[in-house]
Amino acid sequence: MNFVDDDFELKEIQRLEGHTDRVWTVAWKPHTGINGVPAVLASCSGDKTVRIWEQDSTGSFHCQAVLEETHTRTVRSCEWSPSGKHLATASFDATTAIWENVGVDFECVSTLEGHDNEVKSVSWNSDDSLLATCGRDKSVWIWEVLPGNEFDCVSVLQGHTQDVKMVKWTPNMDMLLSCSYDNTIKVWIENRGDDWHCIQTLGESNSGHTSTVWSVSSDASGLKLVSCSDDLTIKVWILNDDDNRMIDWNIEPAWKHVCTLSGYHDRTIFSVHWSREGIIASGAADDAICLFVENNENEVDGPTFKLLLKKEKAHEMDVNSVQWNTGDRRLLASGSDDGTVKIWELVRRSGQKMPST
């Protein structure tokens, strides 16, 4: 799809109400919204619950289930396993819950304990074999997924000096990214012998952020990374992945900064997410959502990006989370301090839907 010559808009499809406090995170279930399978979305909130929303035959979303009475404080993060079999939820009650879809119900099949206090984020690796969590205790935990819904902590990573806001696995290898209130992104890999260690810190000294880093997201290839911050910027990084030679990332930097997007949000940028087509969505405390696409006109010094559109007043309050669906339609979900989840579709301004990919 040529995003240069056409004029697009982000059209609100539906406003989902039900949470009684701010919505922190939205997460699409993998393999839904495609090939006739209804799209399914999870949202988590300060109201201590997780809601599961499912699309019906008319295209409308309805609340299919409310996961409650497990977490005793804010549910800060939720993420489906790549297989879609499990949903992990991270809470300020210092636990991470693992949910399994049993028929029409969801059952909590495991509770992970160990963090000293609030768990801020949870992330599955690409083959469902590892789970990462992070929290206000400045640590990152890596859990091995065992048969029978058992989870074994294989490493506790200490390196950040402040609250860790998010963890995220890259899609095509077991490389873990963590971002923090200490203004940095850390890159973790496993050595021989199950020893996890930090191979790179992306900070101000190497063109990184100058304030809290709230969110990171990889593109579909895993070779590009986008991050956002309290410093009002979005930064794009590329992986040093030369196929012609073996790279020792303990010696050479894994990620290199290629461009900074600034001036598009005027308050803290809380969330970024990269679609499979390469569209970056951002959500911020200015209540707006921005979309960016790669600018193919000048790639001499690496990729650059330009604003595709800005949706002012996407919500009545801060936009805490944005996530693209990977299905047939270009659907974007957003969650906000206003307590709502919104479903958007990227369409041509003429009103004609963009063809499916």
Side-chain angles (χ1 to χ4, degrees):
M1 174 57 62
N2 187 344
F3 295 108
V4 176
D5 300 329
D6 292 308
D7 193 15
F8 301 101
E9 67 174 319
L10 199 58
K11 181 179 179 182
E12 184 178 328
I13 300 299
Q14 195 173 349
R15 173 188 171 108
L16 307 180
E17 298 181 322
H19 284 296
T20 57
D21 203 325
R22 70 186 62 184
V23 177
W24 278 111
T25 305
V26 290
W28 293 101
K29 185 177 182 180
H31 319 301
T32 68
I34 190 169
N35 297 328
V37 179
V40 175
L41 179 75
S43 59
C44 60
S45 169
D47 65 10
K48 311 174 190 175
T49 73
V50 180
R51 286 180 173 260
I52 310 296
W53 311 87
E54 184 170 348
Q55 194 173 27
D56 65 20
S57 58
T58 69
S60 295
F61 286 83
H62 301 278
C63 184
Q64 175 198 15
V66 180
L67 315 187
E68 54 188 347
E69 298 179 357
T70 292
H71 290 299
T72 58
R73 293 184 62 195
T74 290
V75 186
R76 179 63 178 82
S77 173
C78 58
E79 185 172 287
W80 298 92
S81 62
S83 66
K85 182 180 179 182
H86 292 103
L87 177 70
T89 57
S91 172
F92 285 3
D93 65 12
T95 71
T96 300
I98 309 297
W99 304 82
E100 187 173 344
N101 194 181
V102 181
V104 296
D105 298 319
F106 284 80
E107 179 184 346
C108 181
V109 294
S110 190
T111 301
L112 313 185
E113 299 178 342
H115 283 283
D116 292 339
N117 39 47
E118 291 101 320
V119 186
K120 296 296 184 73
S121 177
V122 60
S123 180
W124 302 85
N125 74 338
S126 60
D127 65 359
D128 290 14
S129 64
L130 295 170
L131 184 75
T133 59
C134 67
R136 192 165 72 88
D137 61 8
K138 309 174 190 175
S139 71
V140 174
W141 289 50
I142 297 179
W143 308 79
E144 184 180 1
V145 183
L146 303 173
N149 294 317
E150 296 289 332
F151 292 78
D152 180 34
C153 178
V154 294
S155 193
V156 177
L157 309 179
Q158 306 282 0
H160 285 292
T161 59
Q162 297 289 340
D163 182 349
V164 187
K165 297 296 187 184
M166 176 180 270
V167 282
K168 186 63 68 175
W169 296 96
T170 59
N172 298 323
M173 67 181 80
D174 284 339
M175 175 183 283
L176 182 65
L177 306 164
S178 59
C179 57
S180 170
Y181 190 74
D182 66 13
N183 309 346
T184 71
I185 301 165
K186 287 187 177 290
V187 185
W188 310 85
I189 63 170
E190 184 181 20
N191 273 348
R192 298 186 188 93
D194 300 330
D195 178 29
W196 288 85
H197 71 292
C198 178
I199 59 167
Q200 188 179 16
T201 299
L202 307 178
E204 190 171 356
S205 63
N206 46 10
S207 303
H209 292 287
T210 59
S211 190
T212 301
V213 187
W214 281 93
S215 175
V216 290
S217 176
S218 296
D219 75 341
S221 72
L223 301 178
K224 296 175 185 174
L225 173 71
V226 63
S227 58
C228 66
S229 170
D230 195 45
D231 66 12
L232 311 187
T233 71
I234 294 168
K235 290 181 180 286
V236 178
W237 313 78
I238 58 172
L239 186 64
N240 182 9
D241 186 33
D242 190 337
D243 292 334
N244 296 323
R245 60 191 178 93
M246 294 295 291
I247 293 177
D248 185 348
W249 282 330
N250 293 294
I251 300 172
E252 299 187 49
W255 294 94
K256 180 178 73 172
H257 172 264
V258 289
C259 72
T260 297
L261 303 171
S262 61
Y264 298 103
H265 290 288
D266 56 20
R267 292 187 65 193
T268 299
I269 308 168
F270 289 124
S271 179
V272 283
H273 192 250
W274 216 318
S275 80
R276 63 195 172 103
E277 292 180 288
I279 308 170
I280 297 171
S282 62
D286 59 7
D287 312 339
I289 294 173
C290 287
L291 303 184
F292 302 91
V293 293
E294 193 164 339
N295 184 356
N296 297 316
E297 297 172 4
N298 177 24
E299 291 206 0
V300 176
D301 299 318
T304 59
F305 289 78
K306 64 180 183 179
L307 184 71
L308 179 66
L309 63 86
K310 182 175 184 178
K311 185 71 176 181
E312 303 275 9
K313 293 296 177 185
H315 282 270
E316 294 175 7
M317 299 175 71
D318 298 9
V319 181
N320 295 317
S321 179
V322 288
Q323 190 175 78
W324 291 102
N325 180 266
T326 57
D328 295 330
R329 295 166 62 186
R330 290 169 180 86
L331 296 180
L332 179 75
S334 60
S336 168
D337 274 6
D338 65 15
T340 70
V341 174
K342 288 190 177 183
I343 310 296
W344 310 84
E345 184 171 13
L346 182 62
V347 296
R348 289 195 178 93
R349 195 168 291 278
S350 62
Q352 179 185 359
K353 294 177 183 178
M354 296 160 62
S356 297
T357 55

